[in-house]
Each structure stands twice: as C-alpha cells, then as structure tokens.
Amino acid sequence: IKSRTVVKPDAAFALFVWREGAWKPVGRIERGEQAHVFDGLAVDGLYWLVEDGSERLERIFTIEAGKQVFW
C-alpha cells in the first residue's frame, strides 16, 4: 500500500516497521521535503516515523483503509 506523509519543513525523518522483534528501517524523508509517499508498505505493519534528533517519543501507527491510525 501507499502512505502519504506530510511533515514539518526543515526536518528529516526515518520510517521504521516492527519486524522479527525489532524496529527495521524502511525509508527516509530528507530535509526540505514537505510530503513524501512510501510505496510497498505492508497492510499489517506496525510503523514508527521518527524525527532525526528527537527523543524518539513519536507515536506508532498502522495503516487501515489507506489512512494512518495512531496508537
């Protein structure tokens, strides 16, 4: 599936998926990108979009009916 993510300007992010008992990187959003489309995400995935340099307190989410559902 595709997930379109809008992020704050001048910030970089890493997207992770929970797989085999650990967070695995699946993509990045670089500084200056205001929106990004991640292709090929698993419907049953548990995802975490983390801003570079953050305290890593961002909420995890799933994708249901093409929308992000935060937990």
Side-chain angles (χ1 to χ4, degrees), residues 37-63:
V37 175
F38 292 102
D39 291 322
L41 300 180
V43 173
D44 61 348
L46 180 62
Y47 297 97
W48 188 29
L49 186 64
V50 179
E51 183 178 353
D52 289 359
S54 77
E55 293 182 27
R56 301 177 70 88
L57 300 175
E58 292 86 350
R59 293 173 62 190
I60 59 174
F61 63 94
T62 54
I63 299 173

Side-chain angles (χ1 to χ4, degrees), residues 3 10 13 19 28 34-35 48 52-53 56 69:
S3 175
D10 298 322
F13 295 83
R19 215 179 270 145
R28 284 198 54 78
Q34 293 186 6
W48 188 29
D52 289 359
R56 301 177 70 88
V69 177

Side-chain angles (χ1 to χ4, degrees), residues 7-25:
V7 296
K8 61 184 179 179
D10 298 322
F13 295 83
L15 179 65
F16 298 90
V17 64
W18 184 258
R19 215 179 270 145
E20 300 173 2
W23 289 107
K24 309 286 183 175

